[in-house]
Amino acid sequence: MDDAELIALLGEGAHGYFAGGAGDELTLRDNEASWSRIRLSPQVLVDVSSRDASVTVLGQRLPHPVVVAPMAYQRHAHEDGESGTARAAAATDSTFVLSSQSTTSIADVAAAAPDARRWFQLYVFKDRQVSLDLVAQAREHGYEALVVTVDFPVGGWRERDRRTGFSVTHPLAINPTGESMTTSELFAMHDPSLTWDDIGEFTDAAGMPLLLKGILRPDDAERAVDVGAAGIVVSNHGGRQLDTVLSGADALPPVVDAVAGRADVLVDGGIRRGWDVAKALCLGADAVLVGRPVLWGLAQNGQAGAEAVLTQLHDELDTTLALLGCPNARDLDASFLTR
Ligand SMILES: Cc1cc2nc3c(=O)[nH]c(=O)nc-3n(C[C@H](O)[C@H](O)[C@H](O)COP(=O)(O)O)c2cc1C
């Protein structure tokens, strides 16, 4: 489906919100471009008759390194919404991250996809109690990790949303009344005064491993380890926050060096193909998050569409492992790359 077909399906407002980025969308484009700039360097005459894409993250074996990124307002893409995406993740052995800005409640997603490996993404709101209540619900309903997003003190400068005035009309976990709210009204709930000193409160409340999402600098990655994060997501929020920041692919290597194995490092932004997933692992990531492709699958065909996208990513990764001469994903390293 091209952009015109997606706009016809979703309307300009929702399409602009999902597809768009901040400012001139330079980072949005660079996210994809920077994976394609990296060249692979395959090894031949290796026995690749059996292959294993599994990785270890937060001390657990994941059958695949693909994690579905937290994305808000999924019922605006398709009525299956977050439950459909979570079921697609379960069906493909992927990990699913539920957004704090979801259009399906924490409990309902858990009930719809009890077998999915579910993590919960947290925004810290000005009303801290709202965030703490979300954490308590995530714990109660079997979510296994808390992903605190730290690159969103305020909303990015998103011109598509300014133009369309996109409003969320589905009830939200944080606003169950279902009254229509613009994204700028919703983003105004975020707490711009959040600092490193506040993270401990959430580590304590979580009772599950905590990841910090939205880190681009190695010194911030070190601070994340110091405050007890079990994982870091190197991310520029899909190019939606500050335009012209560096891409996930470019930010990753210095962060991996700084963390030096003391926490798991995940990366996102512009990962579109199984070979992009392999490149991230070669650069030292333990796993990757994939956003928009899953959303486009959901938009086109609900749960089945999201499932098809995840299945293809896994199959592409499997082909990549074979053709790289590296049958085990955990053995991918920089020797398989030429920059
Ligand atoms: C429509 C949309 C909504 C998003 N909502 C959230 C969110 O609620 N919380 C969050 O931490 N990140 C959110 N993100 C960022 C994603 O988690 C992820 O970092 C990014 O989409 C990855 O880039 P990709 O879409 O190029 O794969 C959102 C991204 C998109 C595209």
Side-chain angles (χ1 to χ4, degrees):
M1 244 186 210
D2 61 21
D3 270 5
E5 287 168 313
L6 280 168
I7 292 169
L9 183 66
L10 299 171
E12 210 183 338
H15 176 267
Y17 171 74
F18 290 142
D24 296 311
E25 302 187 337
L26 296 173
T27 294
L28 175 68
R29 287 193 287 279
D30 193 40
N31 274 347
E32 287 186 29
S34 52
W35 293 111
S36 29
R37 280 196 294 269
I38 301 171
R39 292 285 170 268
L40 288 162
S41 180
Q43 204 167 222
V44 296
L45 294 173
V46 176
D47 178 358
V48 293
S49 49
S50 88
R51 299 178 291 277
D52 179 2
S54 70
V55 292
T56 302
V57 176
L58 305 178
Q60 277 197 349
R61 184 184 164 277
L62 307 185
H64 293 283
V66 175
V67 175
V68 179
M71 286 177 289
Y73 320 141
Q74 293 186 18
R75 289 170 81 99
H76 276 276
H78 190 279
E79 63 189 10
D80 287 359
E82 290 84 357
S83 295
T85 311
R87 281 195 298 259
T92 56
D93 256 338
S94 316
T95 303
F96 171 77
V97 191
L98 180 66
S99 164
S100 291
Q101 294 273 12
S102 70
T103 43
T104 312
S105 75
I106 291 172
D108 286 352
V109 173
D115 302 331
R117 189 176 309 94
R118 284 170 278 111
W119 297 353
F120 183 71
Q121 176 268 327
L122 185 74
Y123 281 129
V124 179
F125 298 110
K126 286 174 185 154
D127 183 344
R128 290 282 164 96
Q129 200 50 50
V130 171
S131 295
L132 288 168
D133 286 349
L134 292 172
V135 175
Q137 286 177 50
R139 256 178 99 153
E140 184 189 337
H141 293 288
Y143 291 72
E144 295 173 48
L146 186 70
V147 182
V148 181
T149 299
V150 293
D151 60 6
F152 209 120
V154 300
W157 187 269
R158 303 190 192 171
E159 298 201 337
R160 298 199 209 202
D161 296 347
R162 286 173 178 263
R163 199 169 56 240
T164 65
F166 172 60
S167 294
V168 179
T169 50
H170 287 281
L172 292 170
I174 53 161
N175 176 31
T177 64
E179 71 190 294
S180 159
M181 286 178 88
T182 62
T183 50
S184 43
E185 284 166 338
L186 285 158
F187 296 167
M189 295 170 72
H190 291 227
D191 184 355
S193 74
L194 187 74
T195 70
W196 290 103
D197 295 338
D198 300 308
I199 299 299
E201 185 182 1
F202 296 97
T203 321
D204 295 344
M208 56 181 113
L210 181 137
L211 298 96
L212 293 185
K213 172 173 180 282
I215 285 184
L216 293 171
R217 292 168 56 131
D219 54 353
D220 276 350
E222 284 183 34
R223 289 191 83 163
V225 173
D226 293 343
V227 299
I232 286 158
V233 184
V234 175
S235 172
N236 58 34
H237 213 103
R240 301 162 69 80
Q241 284 297 88
L242 180 59
D243 198 20
T244 75
V245 302
L246 73 176
S247 69
D250 288 336
L252 176 64
V255 168
V256 168
D257 287 348
V259 169
R262 291 173 293 160
D264 290 330
V265 180
L266 290 76
V267 65
D268 74 16
I271 294 173
R272 297 292 175 264
R273 294 290 202 166
W275 36 99
D276 297 334
V277 179
K279 288 172 186 180
L281 267 51
C282 289
L283 291 174
D286 295 291
V288 305
L289 276 62
V290 175
R292 292 179 184 82
V294 181
L295 206 55
W296 300 142
L298 180 74
Q300 283 176 56
N301 202 15
Q303 175 190 339
E307 216 174 295
V309 168
L310 290 166
T311 300
Q312 185 173 332
L313 270 171
H314 296 160
D315 291 349
E316 287 173 356
L317 176 60
D318 180 62
T319 304
T320 305
L321 293 177
L323 294 178
L324 269 183
C326 183
N328 295 312
R330 61 182 170 275
D331 294 331
L332 289 169
D333 63 21
S335 74
F336 293 99
L337 301 178
T338 54
R339 273 257 178 187

